[in-house]
Amino acid sequence: MTIENISINKSFGGWHKQYTHQSKTLNCDMRFAIYLPPLASNKQKVPVLYWLSGLTCTDENFMHKAGAFRMAAELGIAIVAPDTSPRGTEVPNDDGYDLGQGAGFYVNATQAPWNRHYQMYDYVVNELPALIEDTFPVLNKRAISGHSMGGHGALTIAMLNPEKYSSVSAFSPICNPINCPWGQKAFTAYLGDDKAKWKQHDASELMKQASTFVPAKVDQGQADNFLTEQLKPETLEAAATLSGYPLEYNLHEGYDHSYYFISSFIEQHLTFHAQHLNK
Amino acid sequence: MTIENISINKSFGGWHKQYTHQSKTLNCDMRFAIYLPPLASNKQKVPVLYWLSGLTCTDENFMHKAGAFRMAAELGIAIVAPDTSPRGTEVPNDDGYDLGQGAGFYVNATQAPWNRHYQMYDYVVNELPALIEDTFPVLNKRAISGHSMGGHGALTIAMLNPEKYSSVSAFSPICNPINCPWGQKAFTAYLGDDKAKWKQHDASELMKQASTFVPAKVDQGQADNFLTEQLKPETLEAAATLSGYPLEYNLHEGYDHSYYFISSFIEQHLTFHAQHLNK
């Protein structure tokens, strides 16, 4: 595997680094970012939080705006932020911001023209962690978190792979994509018309039926423009009640869908993950 | 004065807001951002830190990337971030990133075509604080800080107006613009060829001759690409030694010119300003 470092910045005594690599899963070059806390060295390995971003984002949004490094440095946690889709001129795209590049939805596409590149589920679950654990001073202790489309990705990936993640969290996640416009558009394109296949990537459906639990924390702003039509956290909450899922869910008055919300509560999420990663 | 709110986001219990207004000083519409901590209300007024950004920036860079709101909320300090130049299709510009729009250098231009709009010194020192103190629940207690070109702006504005600011700080400031390419290009365009006029906006020259002191803190990364050619903090340090200026200067191994550096030390700067604002 070839991996190339393209930027490096010291922050809170640790290092933010961006890399490109050829992804066999996605059939294109991909960029990701990693934050390595001061504790990380060849002698001391650290656990990893994978962060999945929302629609239109790249590896940069979280690293620039979340204000996460202070606590990651203090707690000794690495953070890995992949891109949100395959990229490149050869990769199919769509005119909408909510399909195609920047909108991979963390599923494996089965439909043309998407299926050759849009395999974000396999990339995030398998190829990327293998690359990270081969390359950096990290343990194979993993947590996963994300925002909006990335919150959907984090919740579904954790529930489909409970043995791989010690905890999961999400900000403003798309909780029930089979019943919202963003999810219906993307799942139709990537997965086709068979709604039974959609349910395998719907956080509320998975949570309803779950019997193996990954401790989960979800935060949602009440002033979020997408709350009612796209996010539907009440469906996730009902599903957790049904299965007895350990979901810590909080609504926050006045907060919106932006990184101004995420940055306000990222410390709580990192502390939550640290508790489970260090067990 | 007409002032229009264009965005609002809750963050750390307080509010980030963007406004546009017609600037009489700059003869154009201007945008600025303010962070109001939870403490700010009509009953309780808070002091203000003015943040001046660097080349190419707007009001958004600091608000997105500095991670400053956590401590501003805790300390009860408002933060105001103006744009870095006049803006608009009617405002003269230059092909370079280091002159014209995004590069106002916090001086009053005396030379055509710049002099009609490029009056950033008067805007930051007079018009903007008057507008802020008329509009928001803030005290007329002010501190000032900035990055790179904005560090130059903060240092020179504080030293030229010691009665207006209780403290000043800077990250990676242009310390001696009369002797670096960025400063020479901008000062030639805005102020003309008379170098005596340049010295009135050179932090090192002002610090050398200062007799009224504003407590000052400067942080600089040693891995900053602009350190040797453009920033010259050693000149500022020598000037402080000469005049006995209370300058707290720190070099940081490994840090560069980016917001990854600023965010690592912004807590220290806010604490420094709070000590002086609350005296």
Side-chain angles (χ1 to χ4, degrees):
Chain A
M1 274 187 285
T2 56
I3 174 167
E4 189 188 350
N5 176 244
I6 55 166
S7 82
I8 177 163
N9 316 92
K10 192 170 184 180
S11 201
F12 288 93
W15 297 94
H16 167 263
K17 301 179 179 190
Q18 285 177 302
Y19 290 86
T20 55
H21 72 112
Q22 287 183 296
S23 166
K24 284 184 186 168
T25 308
L26 303 176
N27 285 303
C28 64
D29 289 342
M30 288 295 284
R31 192 175 72 191
F32 70 86
I34 185 168
Y35 178 71
L36 289 165
L39 194 64
S41 68
N42 289 320
K43 285 183 192 154
Q44 175 116 23
K45 296 185 173 189
V46 296
V48 182
L49 173 67
Y50 289 85
W51 174 268
L52 306 183
S53 278
L55 289 166
T56 77
C57 291
T58 68
D59 64 296
E60 293 189 334
N61 303 64
F62 181 83
M63 296 306 202
H64 284 165
K65 295 183 177 181
F69 297 169
R70 186 182 60 87
M71 280 307 285
E74 193 174 318
L75 296 167
I77 297 174
I79 303 175
V80 170
D83 204 342
T84 54
S85 76
R87 298 278 181 180
T89 50
E90 78 285 10
V91 172
N93 205 353
D94 184 86
D95 287 342
Y97 72 96
D98 52 1
L99 186 67
Q101 294 190 34
F105 268 84
Y106 308 104
V107 298
N108 292 332
T110 56
Q111 307 297 301
W114 309 104
N115 52 344
R116 177 166 158 71
H117 296 285
Y118 286 76
Q119 303 291 322
M120 285 298 289
Y121 177 86
D122 277 352
Y123 178 70
V124 168
V125 174
N126 297 310
E127 187 182 16
L128 185 62
L131 178 65
I132 296 296
E133 289 164 22
D134 265 6
T135 311
F136 300 100
V138 298
L139 303 164
N140 62 356
K141 288 186 167 186
R142 306 177 202 98
I144 191 162
S145 184
H147 174 230
S148 195
M149 174 183 76
H152 140 76
L155 289 166
T156 54
I157 283 173
M159 286 190 279
L160 290 166
N161 302 275
E163 75 291 357
K164 286 193 159 75
Y165 302 95
S166 59
S167 49
V168 58
S169 77
F171 291 88
S172 332
I174 303 174
C175 292
N176 190 204
I178 65 174
N179 288 314
C180 82
W182 280 340
Q184 289 165 343
K185 178 176 176 179
F187 285 7
T188 303
Y190 297 142
L191 304 175
D193 292 329
D194 180 357
K195 294 194 179 174
K197 295 196 174 142
W198 295 14
K199 287 189 179 180
Q200 295 167 24
H201 294 278
D202 183 286
S204 295
E205 291 294 322
L206 292 171
M207 196 166 273
K208 216 189 287 182
Q209 295 149 20
S211 55
T212 310
F213 300 143
V214 181
K217 174 173 171 59
V218 168
D219 286 273
Q220 174 62 53
Q222 274 184 312
D224 187 324
N225 286 335
F226 303 112
L227 180 53
T228 311
E229 190 185 10
Q230 302 281 11
L231 305 179
K232 304 189 187 293
E234 66 284 356
T235 311
L236 190 74
E237 218 189 352
T241 304
L242 215 63
S243 64
Y245 208 99
L247 171 67
E248 191 185 301
Y249 171 64
N250 289 295
L251 256 180
H252 301 276
E253 187 267 320
Y255 287 90
D256 63 19
H257 200 66
S258 72
Y259 270 90
Y260 293 113
F261 168 51
I262 296 173
S263 61
S264 302
F265 295 96
I266 192 68
E267 175 171 342
Q268 292 182 13
H269 281 239
L270 287 161
T271 305
F272 168 79
H273 290 297
Q275 283 164 359
H276 295 285
L277 286 165
N278 296 327
K279 263 181 189 164
Chain B
M1 273 188 287
T2 57
I3 173 165
E4 188 188 350
N5 176 244
I6 55 167
S7 82
I8 177 162
N9 315 92
K10 192 169 184 179
S11 201
F12 288 93
W15 297 94
H16 167 263
K17 301 177 178 191
Q18 286 178 301
Y19 290 86
T20 55
H21 71 113
Q22 287 183 294
S23 166
K24 285 184 187 169
T25 308
L26 303 176
N27 285 304
C28 65
D29 287 343
M30 288 295 285
R31 192 176 73 192
F32 70 86
I34 185 168
Y35 177 71
L36 289 165
L39 194 63
S41 68
N42 289 320
K43 285 184 193 152
Q44 175 118 21
K45 296 185 173 188
V46 296
V48 183
L49 173 67
Y50 288 85
W51 173 269
L52 306 183
S53 278
L55 289 167
T56 76
C57 291
T58 68
D59 64 296
E60 294 189 333
N61 303 64
F62 180 84
M63 297 304 202
H64 284 165
K65 296 183 178 180
F69 298 168
R70 186 181 60 87
M71 280 308 285
E74 193 173 319
L75 296 167
I77 298 174
I79 303 175
V80 171
D83 205 341
T84 54
S85 76
R87 297 278 182 181
T89 49
E90 77 284 11
V91 172
N93 205 353
D94 184 86
D95 288 341
Y97 72 97
D98 51 1
L99 186 67
Q101 295 189 34
F105 268 86
Y106 307 102
V107 297
N108 292 332
T110 55
Q111 308 296 302
W114 309 104
N115 50 344
R116 177 165 158 71
H117 295 285
Y118 285 77
Q119 305 290 322
M120 285 298 289
Y121 177 85
D122 277 352
Y123 179 70
V124 168
V125 173
N126 298 310
E127 187 181 15
L128 185 62
L131 178 65
I132 296 295
E133 290 163 22
D134 265 6
T135 310
F136 301 101
V138 298
L139 302 164
N140 63 356
K141 287 186 168 187
R142 305 177 203 99
I144 192 163
S145 183
H147 174 230
S148 195
M149 174 183 76
H152 140 76
L155 289 167
T156 54
I157 283 173
M159 286 190 277
L160 290 166
N161 301 275
E163 76 290 356
K164 286 191 159 73
Y165 301 95
S166 60
S167 49
V168 58
S169 77
F171 291 88
S172 333
I174 304 174
C175 293
N176 190 204
I178 65 174
N179 287 315
C180 81
W182 279 341
Q184 289 165 343
K185 179 176 176 181
F187 285 6
T188 302
Y190 297 142
L191 304 176
D193 291 329
D194 180 357
K195 294 195 179 174
K197 294 194 174 144
W198 295 15
K199 287 189 179 180
Q200 295 167 25
H201 294 278
D202 183 288
S204 296
E205 290 294 321
L206 292 170
M207 197 166 272
K208 215 190 285 182
Q209 295 149 20
S211 55
T212 309
F213 300 144
V214 181
K217 174 173 171 60
V218 169
D219 286 274
Q220 173 64 52
Q222 274 184 312
D224 187 325
N225 286 334
F226 302 112
L227 180 53
T228 311
E229 190 185 9
Q230 302 282 10
L231 305 179
K232 303 188 188 292
E234 66 286 355
T235 312
L236 190 74
E237 220 190 351
T241 304
L242 215 63
S243 64
Y245 208 99
L247 171 67
E248 190 185 302
Y249 171 65
N250 288 295
L251 255 180
H252 300 276
E253 189 267 318
Y255 287 90
D256 63 20
H257 200 67
S258 72
Y259 270 89
Y260 293 113
F261 169 50
I262 296 173
S263 60
S264 302
F265 295 95
I266 192 68
E267 176 171 341
Q268 293 181 12
H269 281 239
L270 287 162
T271 305
F272 168 79
H273 290 297
Q275 283 164 358
H276 296 286
L277 286 165
N278 296 328
K279 263 182 190 166

